[in-house]
Amino acid sequence: ICLAVDAAGVHIGDDELPVALVRKLVGSTKIVGVSAKTVARGVEAENEGADYLGVGAIFPTTTKDSPLTSLQILSEIAAAVTIPVVAIGGIKEENIEQLMGTG
């Protein structure tokens, strides 16, 4: 779909195509984001061509049924990669300060 509509990029989860294959399909000019819940997945995604990582859900959310990712794991993933890491899931004004210092 990304190619068909000439989108700026695509975000893939664990149950979708491998990162390296997506990168090959969309080329070097498209953004490739990858969901990561572990350091190993984050490092692998970066090595295979991801431009950024989406990590979470950090806090409970009603928009996606996903186990929570701890702030410690978020910090460890951010420290292990050089690409941007975006915390996702249940982030609100009343809990955003908890993300301070997580990278």
Side-chain angles (χ1 to χ4, degrees):
I1 293 172
C2 173
L3 294 173
V5 301
D6 195 27
V10 63
H11 186 95
I12 58 172
D14 290 334
D15 59 347
E16 296 170 338
L17 293 172
V19 179
L21 178 57
V22 171
R23 173 54 72 201
K24 184 177 178 181
L25 290 170
V26 302
S28 62
T29 61
K30 302 282 186 195
I31 299 166
V32 175
V34 177
S35 296
K37 289 192 161 292
T38 65
V39 171
R41 174 66 170 161
V43 169
E44 174 188 61
E46 179 178 36
N47 290 339
E48 292 183 2
D51 293 301
Y52 75 90
L53 302 175
V55 177
I58 302 299
F59 302 109
T61 178
T62 58
T63 60
K64 187 172 183 178
D65 184 21
S66 175
L68 297 184
T69 301
S70 71
L71 294 173
Q72 178 67 36
I73 294 296
L74 171 62
S75 295
E76 290 174 10
I77 292 170
V81 299
T82 60
I83 58 177
V85 174
V86 180
I88 59 172
I91 300 168
K92 300 176 182 175
E93 185 176 353
E94 59 267 15
N95 62 22
I96 195 165
E97 287 187 10
Q98 293 179 52
L99 297 174
M100 297 286 290
T102 61

